[in-house]
Amino acid sequence: MSLRSPRRDRASGGALRRHRGLALLFVLPTLLLLGALVVYPIGFSVARSLFDASGHRFVGLDNYGTAFTDHATLTAVRNNAIWVAVAPALVTAVGLVFAVLAEKIRWATAFKLLVFMPMAISFLAAGIIFRTVYDADPQRGVLNAAAVAVHDTFDDRPTYPGAHPRPGGGLDQAQGGDVRAPAATRVVLLPLVGVQPGALPATARPAQAPAAGDDGVSGTVFLDFVPGGGGHPGQLDAEKKGLPGIEVQLRDGDRTIATTTTAGDGTFRFSAAPSATASVVLPAADFAAPYRGVDWLGPAFVTPAIIGAYTWIWAGFAMVVIAGGLANLPRETIEAARLDGAGEWQIFRRITVPQLAPVLGVVFITMVINVMKIFDLVYIIAPGPVQQDASVLALRLYLVSFGGGNDQGLGSALSVLLLLLVVPVMLLNVRRFRGSRA
């Protein structure tokens, strides 16, 4: 049995208190900053959420009730759910593919640099870039320029938007847009106006009179306009141009008998003999506007479009983290699998992915936390008229509090709800981190 001196105990206790005091002295600035920048704002937001817009009248939980019944807020919650369900998994999957590819190509460093480069761009700049990329005008928007180029490669038939018969010219234009003329005469002239001469395709030639035959129907579709004036309405004058590439149908009632396309001089011919009730029809598709691509920033596609921009930015982060995990994988199992005859896809699915599960989990949870509070990309990319359709909780609380709503009580309630949604995921991430250290 050892006896300890009281003086030694007091000395060791004093040293311990001095060490604790010194540690507290070093930690104190951090605690003050956390208190001023985290604890106080959270406490103030919770308290402010219990008051009305003016901040003077106590309303209890009314702001939370409003948050769960307001249509715009419910739309933001729905969009947040879409973000959480799609964006983290997409970023993780793309990062995994890039990390695996980087191991198999010669210029891996250059490839990683290109993929990671968007992380060096601020979200403001990235939003402006993608606002231009998604522009509806093919002359400015890269995606729509590509979509129009691909579409026109497979369907280059010209259209004449706005073309129509001259009033009183003897042609009927149905409500759906079809232009109709009786075919009983066997020779049909279809004069149209409303087409700018400069909009004619390069294949357009001077209009020719249709060749009459013993059977069938022939005709000419032409622009009933002479630049500089002159000519006779409804007649084939020498200065008038044919309209090439127009689809022409021979119909009997609602039944289409035959279909053809006009030549460069606007002429066409059907060999089938028409009935007394048959008619020549120019379908409304001939007068439709040309294909202009997809309205990426419209209500239907704005959220997927912004998720695409988010993936472009964060795929580099996911790739770098996953590539670090790949570098630490034991190569013995992979080589053994190859010796046993396993293919690359089997190795990837049954060996690589299971061994990378902890790393993939870290990337996925980090992305979940990130998308729960996404704000800047949505605010910048979504145009004003569809901003409500793309709204998320962070954007909604900003608009309610400072973007014209001026209701900081409701905005504080939304911020508390957002915090309650994020905290469980953060705790899960911390728990996973502690588990990996253990």
Side-chain angles (χ1 to χ4, degrees):
M1 182 175 179
S2 62
L3 297 176
R4 299 186 60 181
S5 168
R7 182 179 299 175
R8 180 176 297 178
D9 289 341
R10 287 194 298 270
S12 59
L16 181 61
R17 284 193 294 272
R18 285 195 299 273
H19 285 305
R20 287 178 176 175
L22 184 61
L24 180 62
L25 183 63
F26 281 110
V27 173
L28 186 59
T30 302
L31 293 178
L32 291 176
L33 284 175
L34 286 175
L37 301 180
V38 178
V39 178
Y40 173 74
I42 291 176
F44 181 83
S45 296
V46 172
R48 185 67 178 83
S49 68
L50 304 177
F51 289 81
D52 64 355
S54 66
H56 301 300
R57 185 169 64 89
F58 181 80
V59 294
L61 300 178
D62 288 356
N63 287 322
Y64 295 93
T66 302
F68 283 109
T69 56
D70 178 55
H71 175 72
T73 302
L74 294 178
T75 300
V77 172
R78 181 202 65 189
N79 288 335
N80 260 111
I82 294 173
W83 273 89
V84 171
V86 176
L90 184 60
V91 170
T92 305
V94 173
L96 175 61
V97 171
F98 284 166
V100 173
L101 286 177
E103 282 201 333
K104 299 182 179 297
I105 61 177
R106 177 178 297 180
W107 303 101
T109 303
F111 177 76
K112 290 180 179 179
L113 178 63
L114 288 175
V115 176
F116 192 77
M117 191 176 294
M119 287 294 298
I121 303 174
S122 69
F123 271 40
L124 173 62
I128 294 173
I129 290 171
F130 275 89
R131 182 71 176 265
T132 305
V133 169
Y134 292 135
D135 197 289
D137 187 353
Q139 300 297 324
R140 294 195 299 267
V142 175
L143 278 185
N144 275 339
V148 170
V150 172
H151 176 273
D152 291 348
T153 300
F154 296 97
D155 183 10
D156 59 350
R157 185 170 63 89
T159 59
Y160 301 88
H164 59 275
R166 187 186 296 275
L171 298 180
D172 298 326
Q173 187 165 22
Q175 186 174 3
D178 296 345
V179 174
R180 187 181 299 266
T185 59
R186 303 291 183 94
V187 177
V188 180
L189 293 181
L190 294 158
L192 299 176
V193 294
V195 180
Q196 294 295 328
L200 292 176
T203 55
R205 303 196 304 270
Q208 300 295 322
D214 295 334
D215 58 355
V217 179
S218 59
T220 302
V221 184
F222 62 96
L223 177 59
D224 195 16
F225 173 79
V226 177
H232 302 83
Q235 298 183 16
L236 280 172
D237 298 307
E239 297 85 356
K240 294 180 180 179
K241 293 280 189 177
L243 298 179
I246 286 188
E247 180 182 333
V248 187
Q249 297 176 352
L250 182 63
R251 293 186 192 173
D252 190 354
D254 293 332
R255 183 171 64 92
T256 300
I257 301 172
T259 302
T260 189
T261 304
T262 58
D265 56 6
T267 58
F268 63 91
R269 179 172 176 76
F270 295 109
S271 59
S275 64
T277 58
S279 59
V280 174
V281 176
L282 305 181
D286 290 330
F287 315 115
Y291 181 72
R292 304 284 290 174
V294 179
D295 187 9
W296 298 105
L297 297 182
F301 293 105
V302 62
T303 295
I306 301 173
I307 291 177
Y310 179 88
T311 304
W312 177 78
I313 294 172
W314 283 96
F317 164 81
M319 178 196 67
V320 170
V321 176
I322 296 172
L326 277 173
N328 292 323
L329 289 183
R331 299 295 172 178
E332 295 81 5
T333 55
I334 297 176
E335 295 300 330
R338 287 198 178 102
L339 290 175
D340 290 340
E344 292 299 322
W345 171 246
Q346 290 177 311
I347 293 174
F348 175 78
R349 184 165 59 92
R350 296 181 179 274
I351 297 177
T352 304
V353 173
Q355 289 183 337
L356 280 176
V359 178
L360 298 178
V362 170
V363 173
F364 181 82
I365 293 177
T366 302
M367 291 298 100
V368 169
I369 296 172
N370 195 285
V371 300
M372 288 288 288
K373 51 189 179 64
I374 188 72
F375 165 77
D376 32 20
L377 275 184
V378 181
Y379 182 70
I380 297 165
I381 295 178
V386 298
Q387 202 167 70
Q388 293 291 347
D389 298 286
S391 180
V392 289
L393 275 175
L395 176 60
R396 179 62 184 159
L397 73 89
Y398 167 77
L399 294 176
V400 166
S401 301
F402 311 107
N406 295 325
D407 188 349
Q408 295 183 10
L410 178 58
S412 298
L414 292 175
S415 68
V416 173
L417 291 176
L418 183 57
L419 176 66
L420 293 177
L421 292 174
V422 172
V423 164
V425 185
M426 294 179 62
L427 293 177
L428 176 62
N429 202 25
V430 171
R431 186 174 180 180
R432 287 179 60 89
F433 179 73
R434 288 179 176 175
S436 64
R437 291 186 61 184

